[in-house]
Amino acid sequence: MDFTLEIYKKLLKSLLIQDYAFLTFNDFLNSNKKKSMVLRHDVDLLPNNSLRFAKIQAELDIKGSYYFRAVPESWDEGIIKETASLGHEVGYHYENMDTCNGDVDKAWDDFRLHLDKLRKLVDVKTICMHGSPRSKFDNKDIWKKFDYRTLDIIGEPYYDVDFDKVFYLTDTGRRWDGWKSSVRDKVPQQTEWVKQGLVFHSTNDIIQASNANQLPDNIMFTMHPQRWSDGGFQWLKELILQNLKNEIKKYLVK
Ligand SMILES: [Zn+2]
Protein backbone atom coordinates (compact mmCIF):
# COMPACT_ATOMS: atom_id res chain seq x y z
CA MET A 1 0.00 0.00 0.00
CA ASP A 2 1.35 3.40 -1.00
CA PHE A 3 0.30 6.85 0.27
CA THR A 4 -0.07 5.77 3.87
CA LEU A 5 1.28 7.69 6.87
CA GLU A 6 3.59 4.77 7.53
CA ILE A 7 5.33 5.12 4.18
CA TYR A 8 5.30 8.90 4.55
CA LYS A 9 7.33 8.62 7.76
CA LYS A 10 9.73 6.26 6.05
CA LEU A 11 10.20 8.81 3.28
CA LEU A 12 10.97 11.63 5.71
CA LYS A 13 13.44 9.51 7.62
CA SER A 14 15.27 8.49 4.47
CA LEU A 15 15.53 12.16 3.46
CA LEU A 16 16.76 13.15 6.93
CA ILE A 17 19.63 10.66 6.69
CA GLN A 18 20.76 12.41 3.49
CA ASP A 19 21.31 15.65 5.42
CA TYR A 20 18.92 17.91 3.58
CA ALA A 21 18.09 21.20 5.26
CA PHE A 22 14.30 21.20 5.50
CA LEU A 23 13.26 24.76 4.80
CA THR A 24 9.92 26.49 4.57
CA PHE A 25 9.42 28.08 1.19
CA ASN A 26 9.92 31.48 2.78
CA ASP A 27 13.23 30.38 4.34
CA PHE A 28 14.30 28.72 1.10
CA LEU A 29 13.92 32.02 -0.75
CA ASN A 30 16.15 33.68 1.83
CA SER A 31 18.86 31.06 2.07
CA ASN A 32 21.59 29.48 0.04
CA LYS A 33 22.00 25.98 1.45
CA LYS A 34 23.89 23.43 -0.62
CA LYS A 35 21.32 20.73 0.10
CA SER A 36 17.78 21.88 0.68
CA MET A 37 14.34 20.38 0.77
CA VAL A 38 11.06 22.28 0.62
CA LEU A 39 8.00 20.30 1.65
CA ARG A 40 5.06 22.15 0.20
CA HIS A 41 1.52 21.08 1.05
CA ASP A 42 -1.56 22.12 -0.88
CA VAL A 43 -4.43 21.80 1.57
CA ASP A 44 -7.17 21.38 -1.00
CA LEU A 45 -9.49 19.70 1.50
CA LEU A 46 -9.46 17.61 4.71
CA PRO A 47 -7.32 19.99 6.82
CA ASN A 48 -7.17 17.34 9.56
CA ASN A 49 -5.00 15.23 7.27
CA SER A 50 -2.62 18.13 6.77
CA LEU A 51 -2.44 18.68 10.54
CA ARG A 52 -1.33 15.06 10.88
CA PHE A 53 1.50 15.76 8.43
CA ALA A 54 2.40 18.92 10.36
CA LYS A 55 2.61 16.94 13.61
CA ILE A 56 4.69 14.11 12.13
CA GLN A 57 7.15 16.68 10.78
CA ALA A 58 7.31 18.55 14.07
CA GLU A 59 8.19 15.29 15.84
CA LEU A 60 11.11 14.91 13.44
CA ASP A 61 12.07 18.58 13.80
CA ILE A 62 11.21 19.23 10.15
CA LYS A 63 9.56 22.37 8.78
CA GLY A 64 7.18 22.58 5.86
CA SER A 65 4.90 25.05 4.10
CA TYR A 66 1.12 24.68 4.14
CA TYR A 67 -1.17 26.46 1.69
CA PHE A 68 -4.82 26.82 2.68
CA ARG A 69 -7.70 27.68 0.38
CA ALA A 70 -10.31 30.24 1.38
CA VAL A 71 -13.12 27.69 1.15
CA PRO A 72 -14.86 25.82 3.98
CA GLU A 73 -13.37 22.42 3.03
CA SER A 74 -9.83 23.78 3.59
CA TRP A 75 -10.05 26.90 5.78
CA ASP A 76 -9.97 25.75 9.41
CA GLU A 77 -8.75 28.58 11.63
CA GLY A 78 -7.84 26.29 14.51
CA ILE A 79 -5.74 24.09 12.26
CA ILE A 80 -4.18 27.09 10.48
CA LYS A 81 -2.99 28.51 13.80
CA GLU A 82 -1.88 25.14 15.14
CA THR A 83 0.13 24.45 11.97
CA ALA A 84 1.97 27.76 12.40
CA SER A 85 2.52 27.17 16.10
CA LEU A 86 4.24 23.85 15.26
CA GLY A 87 6.88 25.94 13.45
CA HIS A 88 5.57 25.56 9.90
CA GLU A 89 4.88 28.22 7.34
CA VAL A 90 1.30 28.97 6.33
CA GLY A 91 0.44 30.55 2.99
CA TYR A 92 -2.56 31.29 0.84
CA HIS A 93 -3.64 28.72 -1.79
CA TYR A 94 -5.45 31.19 -4.03
CA GLU A 95 -7.99 30.56 -6.77
CA ASN A 96 -9.52 33.99 -7.28
CA MET A 97 -9.74 34.01 -11.09
CA ASP A 98 -11.81 30.89 -10.73
CA THR A 99 -14.12 32.12 -7.98
CA CYS A 100 -14.52 35.53 -9.68
CA ASN A 101 -15.31 34.02 -13.07
CA GLY A 102 -12.27 35.42 -14.83
CA ASP A 103 -12.86 39.07 -13.78
CA VAL A 104 -9.30 40.12 -12.93
CA ASP A 105 -10.22 43.26 -10.95
CA LYS A 106 -12.71 41.38 -8.82
CA ALA A 107 -10.13 38.62 -8.39
CA TRP A 108 -7.57 41.12 -7.09
CA ASP A 109 -10.05 42.49 -4.50
CA ASP A 110 -10.96 38.95 -3.51
CA PHE A 111 -7.29 37.97 -3.24
CA ARG A 112 -6.46 40.88 -0.92
CA LEU A 113 -9.55 40.28 1.19
CA HIS A 114 -8.62 36.67 1.90
CA LEU A 115 -4.93 37.38 2.31
CA ASP A 116 -5.81 39.96 4.97
CA LYS A 117 -8.09 37.44 6.66
CA LEU A 118 -5.30 34.88 6.75
CA ARG A 119 -2.83 37.47 8.01
CA LYS A 120 -5.09 38.13 10.99
CA LEU A 121 -4.34 34.53 12.01
CA VAL A 122 -0.71 33.97 10.94
CA ASP A 123 2.21 35.69 9.24
CA VAL A 124 1.99 35.15 5.47
CA LYS A 125 4.96 35.67 3.15
CA THR A 126 4.29 33.26 0.29
CA ILE A 127 1.35 32.10 -1.81
CA CYS A 128 0.67 29.29 -4.21
CA MET A 129 -1.91 28.81 -6.93
CA HIS A 130 -4.68 26.23 -6.68
CA GLY A 131 -5.14 24.64 -10.07
CA SER A 132 -8.47 22.98 -10.52
CA PRO A 133 -8.34 20.83 -13.66
CA ARG A 134 -12.04 21.41 -14.22
CA SER A 135 -11.78 25.19 -14.34
CA LYS A 136 -11.41 27.06 -17.60
CA PHE A 137 -9.53 29.83 -15.76
CA ASP A 138 -5.86 29.85 -14.92
CA ASN A 139 -5.53 31.40 -11.47
CA LYS A 140 -2.06 32.71 -12.32
CA ASP A 141 -3.60 35.09 -14.87
CA ILE A 142 -4.28 37.56 -12.07
CA TRP A 143 -0.52 38.33 -12.20
CA LYS A 144 -0.76 39.53 -15.78
CA LYS A 145 -2.26 42.70 -14.33
CA PHE A 146 -1.29 42.79 -10.65
CA ASP A 147 1.85 42.13 -8.62
CA TYR A 148 1.78 40.17 -5.35
CA ARG A 149 5.06 41.78 -4.30
CA THR A 150 3.20 45.03 -3.65
CA LEU A 151 1.49 43.13 -0.81
CA ASP A 152 4.76 42.05 0.83
CA ILE A 153 4.48 38.53 -0.61
CA ILE A 154 7.96 37.31 -1.53
CA GLY A 155 7.24 34.08 -3.33
CA GLU A 156 4.94 32.01 -5.54
CA PRO A 157 6.46 28.63 -6.50
CA TYR A 158 5.41 28.94 -10.14
CA TYR A 159 7.36 32.22 -10.51
CA ASP A 160 10.05 32.24 -7.85
CA VAL A 161 11.63 28.82 -8.12
CA ASP A 162 14.30 28.12 -10.74
CA PHE A 163 13.43 24.56 -11.72
CA ASP A 164 16.74 24.29 -13.57
CA LYS A 165 18.22 24.17 -10.06
CA VAL A 166 15.40 22.67 -8.04
CA PHE A 167 14.02 19.20 -8.71
CA TYR A 168 10.25 19.04 -8.41
CA LEU A 169 8.18 16.11 -7.21
CA THR A 170 4.42 16.19 -6.88
CA ASP A 171 1.95 13.55 -5.72
CA THR A 172 -0.65 14.84 -8.14
CA GLY A 173 -2.81 11.96 -9.33
CA ARG A 174 -1.69 9.98 -6.27
CA ARG A 175 1.58 8.84 -7.83
CA TRP A 176 4.89 10.61 -8.39
CA ASP A 177 4.86 10.60 -12.19
CA GLY A 178 1.27 11.81 -12.45
CA TRP A 179 2.25 15.24 -13.83
CA LYS A 180 2.06 13.68 -17.31
CA SER A 181 -1.70 13.60 -16.94
CA SER A 182 -1.95 16.80 -14.92
CA VAL A 183 -3.53 19.87 -16.45
CA ARG A 184 -1.65 22.52 -14.43
CA ASP A 185 0.72 20.96 -11.88
CA LYS A 186 3.76 20.60 -14.11
CA VAL A 187 7.04 22.33 -14.98
CA PRO A 188 8.81 22.28 -18.37
CA GLN A 189 11.97 20.63 -16.97
CA GLN A 190 10.15 17.36 -16.26
CA THR A 191 10.76 15.92 -19.74
CA GLU A 192 14.50 16.57 -19.31
CA TRP A 193 14.46 14.87 -15.88
CA VAL A 194 12.85 11.78 -17.39
CA LYS A 195 15.80 11.52 -19.81
CA GLN A 196 18.14 11.62 -16.81
CA GLY A 197 16.23 8.81 -15.15
CA LEU A 198 14.80 11.13 -12.53
CA VAL A 199 11.31 9.73 -12.66
CA PHE A 200 9.54 7.94 -9.84
CA HIS A 201 6.24 6.19 -9.65
CA SER A 202 5.82 4.97 -6.08
CA THR A 203 6.97 6.51 -2.80
CA ASN A 204 9.18 3.47 -2.34
CA ASP A 205 10.98 4.35 -5.59
CA ILE A 206 11.88 7.73 -4.07
CA ILE A 207 12.95 6.15 -0.78
CA GLN A 208 15.25 3.77 -2.62
CA ALA A 209 16.80 6.59 -4.66
CA SER A 210 17.26 8.60 -1.47
CA ASN A 211 18.91 5.70 0.33
CA ALA A 212 21.25 5.26 -2.64
CA ASN A 213 22.05 9.00 -2.50
CA GLN A 214 20.72 9.47 -6.04
CA LEU A 215 18.38 12.39 -5.44
CA PRO A 216 19.33 15.93 -6.53
CA ASP A 217 20.63 18.40 -3.91
CA ASN A 218 17.68 20.77 -4.08
CA ILE A 219 14.15 19.48 -4.14
CA MET A 220 10.64 20.81 -3.78
CA PHE A 221 7.95 18.30 -2.92
CA THR A 222 4.29 19.10 -3.38
CA MET A 223 1.99 16.93 -1.37
CA HIS A 224 -1.76 16.85 -0.99
CA PRO A 225 -2.28 15.42 2.50
CA GLN A 226 -5.90 14.48 1.70
CA ARG A 227 -4.48 11.73 -0.52
CA TRP A 228 -2.56 10.19 2.35
CA SER A 229 -4.20 8.20 5.13
CA ASP A 230 -3.89 5.37 7.57
CA GLY A 231 -5.28 2.76 5.24
CA GLY A 232 -8.79 1.40 5.60
CA PHE A 233 -11.88 2.91 4.07
CA GLN A 234 -10.59 6.42 3.41
CA TRP A 235 -7.50 5.04 1.73
CA LEU A 236 -9.58 2.83 -0.53
CA LYS A 237 -12.00 5.63 -1.36
CA GLU A 238 -9.13 7.95 -2.34
CA LEU A 239 -7.56 5.22 -4.49
CA ILE A 240 -10.77 4.61 -6.43
CA LEU A 241 -11.65 8.31 -6.79
CA GLN A 242 -8.16 9.21 -7.91
CA ASN A 243 -8.03 6.50 -10.56
CA LEU A 244 -11.29 7.83 -11.92
CA LYS A 245 -10.01 11.44 -11.87
CA ASN A 246 -6.82 10.41 -13.65
CA GLU A 247 -8.87 8.98 -16.49
CA ILE A 248 -10.84 12.22 -16.79
CA LYS A 249 -7.66 14.33 -16.68
CA LYS A 250 -6.05 12.26 -19.44
CA TYR A 251 -9.03 13.20 -21.54
CA LEU A 252 -8.72 16.91 -20.61
CA VAL A 253 -4.99 17.08 -21.42
CA LYS A 254 -5.53 15.63 -24.91
ZN1 LIG B 1 -4.74 22.93 -4.81
Short mmCIF file of all heavy atoms in Angstrom, two decimals, residues 40 42-44 67 69 93 128-132 224 226, ligand 1:
data_model
loop_
_atom_site.label_atom_id
_atom_site.label_comp_id
_atom_site.label_asym_id
_atom_site.label_seq_id
_atom_site.Cartn_x
_atom_site.Cartn_y
_atom_site.Cartn_z
N ARG A 40 6.22 21.28 0.40
CA ARG A 40 5.06 22.15 0.20
C ARG A 40 3.80 21.29 0.26
O ARG A 40 3.76 20.19 -0.29
CB ARG A 40 5.20 22.82 -1.17
CG ARG A 40 3.96 23.49 -1.66
CD ARG A 40 4.17 23.98 -3.08
NE ARG A 40 2.95 23.81 -3.84
CZ ARG A 40 2.89 23.83 -5.17
NH1 ARG A 40 3.98 23.98 -5.87
NH2 ARG A 40 1.74 23.67 -5.76
N ASP A 42 -0.37 21.44 -0.40
CA ASP A 42 -1.56 22.12 -0.88
C ASP A 42 -2.75 21.52 -0.14
O ASP A 42 -3.10 20.36 -0.37
CB ASP A 42 -1.71 21.93 -2.39
CG ASP A 42 -0.62 22.67 -3.17
OD1 ASP A 42 0.23 23.33 -2.54
OD2 ASP A 42 -0.64 22.59 -4.41
N VAL A 43 -3.31 22.31 0.77
CA VAL A 43 -4.43 21.80 1.57
C VAL A 43 -5.72 22.04 0.79
O VAL A 43 -6.45 23.00 1.05
CB VAL A 43 -4.47 22.46 2.97
CG1 VAL A 43 -5.53 21.79 3.84
CG2 VAL A 43 -3.10 22.39 3.65
N ASP A 44 -5.98 21.20 -0.18
CA ASP A 44 -7.17 21.38 -1.00
C ASP A 44 -8.44 21.07 -0.21
O ASP A 44 -9.46 21.73 -0.39
CB ASP A 44 -7.11 20.45 -2.23
CG ASP A 44 -6.10 20.95 -3.26
OD1 ASP A 44 -5.59 22.07 -3.09
OD2 ASP A 44 -5.82 20.22 -4.21
N TYR A 67 -0.36 25.47 2.40
CA TYR A 67 -1.17 26.46 1.69
C TYR A 67 -2.65 26.12 1.82
O TYR A 67 -3.08 25.06 1.36
CB TYR A 67 -0.72 26.56 0.23
CG TYR A 67 0.70 27.07 0.16
CD1 TYR A 67 1.79 26.20 0.17
CD2 TYR A 67 0.95 28.44 0.18
CE1 TYR A 67 3.09 26.68 0.17
CE2 TYR A 67 2.24 28.93 0.19
CZ TYR A 67 3.31 28.04 0.18
OH TYR A 67 4.59 28.52 0.21
N ARG A 69 -6.73 27.00 1.24
CA ARG A 69 -7.70 27.68 0.38
C ARG A 69 -8.73 28.41 1.23
O ARG A 69 -9.02 27.97 2.34
CB ARG A 69 -8.45 26.65 -0.49
CG ARG A 69 -7.57 25.87 -1.42
CD ARG A 69 -8.34 24.68 -1.98
NE ARG A 69 -9.43 25.12 -2.86
CZ ARG A 69 -10.45 24.33 -3.19
NH1 ARG A 69 -10.56 23.11 -2.73
NH2 ARG A 69 -11.39 24.79 -4.01
N HIS A 93 -3.46 29.53 -0.57
CA HIS A 93 -3.64 28.72 -1.79
C HIS A 93 -4.78 29.38 -2.57
O HIS A 93 -5.95 29.05 -2.39
CB HIS A 93 -4.00 27.29 -1.36
CG HIS A 93 -3.76 26.25 -2.42
ND1 HIS A 93 -2.76 26.33 -3.34
CD2 HIS A 93 -4.41 25.07 -2.67
CE1 HIS A 93 -2.80 25.25 -4.13
NE2 HIS A 93 -3.79 24.49 -3.75
N CYS A 128 0.53 30.34 -3.21
CA CYS A 128 0.67 29.29 -4.21
C CYS A 128 -0.69 29.06 -4.86
O CYS A 128 -1.72 29.03 -4.20
CB CYS A 128 1.17 28.06 -3.47
SG CYS A 128 1.01 26.59 -4.37
N MET A 129 -0.67 28.94 -6.17
CA MET A 129 -1.91 28.81 -6.93
C MET A 129 -2.59 27.45 -6.72
O MET A 129 -1.93 26.43 -6.68
CB MET A 129 -1.58 28.98 -8.41
CG MET A 129 -2.75 28.70 -9.31
SD MET A 129 -2.26 28.17 -10.97
CE MET A 129 -1.55 26.57 -10.69
N HIS A 130 -3.90 27.47 -6.62
CA HIS A 130 -4.68 26.23 -6.68
C HIS A 130 -5.10 26.04 -8.13
O HIS A 130 -5.66 26.94 -8.75
CB HIS A 130 -5.90 26.34 -5.76
CG HIS A 130 -6.84 25.17 -5.89
ND1 HIS A 130 -6.50 23.89 -5.55
CD2 HIS A 130 -8.13 25.10 -6.33
CE1 HIS A 130 -7.51 23.08 -5.78
NE2 HIS A 130 -8.52 23.78 -6.24
N GLY A 131 -4.80 24.87 -8.67
CA GLY A 131 -5.14 24.64 -10.07
C GLY A 131 -6.19 23.57 -10.23
O GLY A 131 -5.88 22.39 -10.25
N SER A 132 -7.42 23.98 -10.31
CA SER A 132 -8.47 22.98 -10.52
C SER A 132 -8.50 22.57 -11.98
O SER A 132 -8.63 23.41 -12.87
CB SER A 132 -9.83 23.57 -10.12
OG SER A 132 -10.84 22.73 -10.62
N HIS A 224 -0.36 16.57 -1.31
CA HIS A 224 -1.76 16.85 -0.99
C HIS A 224 -2.14 15.89 0.13
O HIS A 224 -2.45 14.72 -0.16
CB HIS A 224 -2.63 16.63 -2.23
CG HIS A 224 -2.28 17.53 -3.38
ND1 HIS A 224 -1.22 17.28 -4.23
CD2 HIS A 224 -2.85 18.68 -3.80
CE1 HIS A 224 -1.16 18.27 -5.13
NE2 HIS A 224 -2.13 19.12 -4.89
N GLN A 226 -4.62 15.20 1.75
CA GLN A 226 -5.90 14.48 1.70
C GLN A 226 -5.76 13.14 0.99
O GLN A 226 -6.61 12.28 1.10
CB GLN A 226 -6.99 15.34 1.05
CG GLN A 226 -7.02 15.36 -0.47
CD GLN A 226 -6.25 16.55 -1.06
OE1 GLN A 226 -5.51 17.22 -0.35
NE2 GLN A 226 -6.44 16.81 -2.34
ZN ZN B 1 -4.74 22.93 -4.81
#
